[in-house]
Amino acid sequence: MKLLLGIALLLLAAQLSESACFFQLQSTSEPGKSKVCIDTTDGSVHKVGDSWNATNCMVCWCENGSYRCCERSPRTFVYPEDCVAVFDNEACQYRTHAKGNPSLECS
């Protein structure tokens, strides 16, 4: 029974910290050249095996012929009912504050 409860809690935690990801296929048009990944958001070039923080609050990984990116901040989380969550694009994270009072942060 304790094992089932532990599994249920792990699944709940995974659900609460869900992030969005995408996968981008790329091809090299020049034979003999090593494959690279070109970030479609800013045009930056990355070698196979590299990882980087993209300009759109995502972390990306270059793989052979493709790259994948995932959000750096979870999409869903739990916060008090009397608070709201607002995404901070500069810090790439959600900040919570009291409804009607942005200067009062929530835990």
Side-chain angles (χ1 to χ4, degrees):
M1 191 64 167
K2 287 182 182 180
L3 177 62
L4 290 175
L5 179 60
I7 291 171
L9 289 174
L10 284 173
L11 290 173
L12 178 62
Q15 179 67 26
L16 291 175
S17 64
E18 178 183 321
S19 298
C21 299
F22 71 87
F23 183 78
Q24 179 75 43
L25 284 174
Q26 296 188 339
S27 60
T28 306
S29 58
E30 300 176 46
K33 282 198 141 189
S34 61
K35 292 188 176 184
V36 294
C37 297
I38 301 171
D39 187 329
T40 57
T41 60
D42 64 7
S44 59
V45 178
H46 306 275
K47 295 182 214 175
V48 172
D50 284 354
S51 65
W52 68 97
N53 287 322
T55 57
N56 56 353
C57 293
M58 300 193 100
V59 61
C60 302
W61 299 268
C62 182
E63 299 164 347
N64 196 17
S66 65
Y67 71 93
R68 62 187 165 92
C69 298
C70 294
E71 291 178 334
R72 287 191 272 171
S73 183
R75 288 180 143 206
T76 55
F77 54 93
V78 179
Y79 53 89
E81 279 187 36
D82 58 341
C83 296
V84 294
V86 179
F87 192 73
D88 180 343
N89 286 313
E90 287 187 29
C92 294
Q93 66 183 9
Y94 284 92
R95 302 211 185 270
T96 56
H97 62 78
K99 290 179 182 175
N101 188 354
S103 63
L104 183 59
E105 288 192 23
C106 297
S107 57

